[in-house]
Amino acid sequence: MLEVPADVRPGETIETHLGTEFTARELRGPDLFTHFERTGAPMLPRDVGLLLGETGVCEGDRVLDAGTGTGVLAAYLARAGAAVVTYEQDPEFAAVARENMALAGVDDRVDVRTGDLTASMADLDDRFDLLTLDTGDAAAIAAQAPDLLVPGGFLAVYSPFVEQTRDANLAAANAGLEDVTTMETIQREMDFDDRGSRPSTAPVGHTGYLTFGRRE
Ligand SMILES: C[S@@+](CC[C@H](N)C(=O)[O-])C[C@H]1O[C@@H](n2cnc3c(N)ncnc32)[C@H](O)[C@@H]1O
């Protein structure tokens, strides 16, 4: 990534020492994937979009998130206006995530805490509008969701594997959450060329499943 001098404004052109020209632009949500330092596998925009749409997260919401990983989801939530408390059990990953939040300009709205959320849940006094989980032990945390959420608050669990997804779905339902639903986003790009238009023949890649539930 090219370090842009502070006085360069979006739209202005700068030149590297090798004479290559770049036009500066404001970092926005999808740029986080290319500019963040990566640790834990980040959620893709299509899954983030489903999560934002299904939970309606907005300005003023309080979100509890785990694990932070790269912090892509946490940054998207903060850019939507939420205040995010996010737990990352790996101290090195947590340090990278803090730098990523600063790069995204949301370090004042994302509190990256080093620690295992399963071990810290009992210490949390706050209640949250949204609980987002992207961890192997999400089912165990989902089972405690009613104690972590405000009435009407949402749980959203992202899991790449169907076994973890089923566990999270059952844990959310057994905990008494309402409208427990699991979905997968299938996304197809369109190709337009001289011969005609059709969905891309490139393989459709699996990302993960999203399970939602809502506190009464
Ligand atoms: C797949 S990554 C999360 C990626 C993140 N959603 C994003 O969009 O960048 C999962 C992360 O969760 C962390 N983790 C797993 N279990 C955890 C727990 N119980 N508490 C806190 N962090 C946890 C792992 O260390 C890993 O960095």
Side-chain angles (χ1 to χ4, degrees):
M1 183 174 53
L2 183 66
E3 197 66 45
V4 179
D7 58 345
V8 175
R9 305 182 70 78
E12 288 180 1
T13 301
I14 54 169
E15 197 175 298
T16 68
H17 65 292
L18 296 174
T20 309
E21 284 194 347
F22 288 91
T23 302
R25 62 185 183 197
E26 197 84 48
L27 194 73
R28 293 184 62 84
D31 302 319
L32 308 179
F33 288 89
T34 35
H35 292 304
F36 271 8
E37 185 178 334
R38 286 198 185 196
T39 55
M43 276 176 70
L44 265 69
R46 74 191 205 199
D47 295 311
V48 174
L50 181 62
L51 190 152
L52 298 184
E54 288 294 324
T55 65
V57 63
C58 65
E59 179 84 39
D61 275 356
R62 292 150 301 157
V63 182
L64 177 61
D65 172 65
T68 319
T70 300
V72 165
L73 177 61
Y76 261 104
L77 293 166
R79 289 176 61 85
V84 183
V85 173
T86 178
Y87 279 79
E88 173 51 57
Q89 65 187 7
D90 182 312
E92 286 178 22
F93 286 10
V96 170
R98 284 184 198 105
E99 286 171 17
N100 286 342
M101 296 309 108
L103 180 65
V106 292
D107 45 337
D108 58 337
R109 248 174 293 151
V110 182
D111 176 4
V112 180
R113 299 185 182 171
T114 305
D116 179 341
L117 179 57
T118 45
S120 310
M121 280 187 290
D123 305 331
L124 287 167
D125 292 330
D126 290 342
R127 293 292 171 267
F128 297 86
D129 301 288
L130 173 62
L131 169 61
T132 56
L133 302 173
D134 182 359
T135 68
D137 60 2
I141 305 172
Q144 306 301 320
D147 296 330
L148 297 166
L149 291 169
V150 298
F154 280 95
L155 164 74
V157 180
Y158 177 78
S159 336
F161 302 110
V162 77
E163 293 85 355
Q164 289 170 358
T165 300
R166 187 170 189 274
D167 288 349
N169 182 302
L170 293 177
N174 289 338
L177 295 192
E178 296 186 333
D179 306 325
V180 177
T181 320
T182 295
M183 304 176 206
E184 181 185 11
T185 312
I186 307 288
Q187 182 172 290
R188 291 198 304 179
E189 212 173 303
M190 286 291 290
D191 283 344
F192 299 104
D193 63 29
D194 293 343
R195 294 172 303 153
S197 310
R198 62 179 175 181
S200 167
T201 52
V204 177
H206 168 74
T207 52
Y209 305 96
L210 271 158
T211 298
F212 298 99
R214 192 167 191 188
R215 205 194 128 175
E216 211 174 10

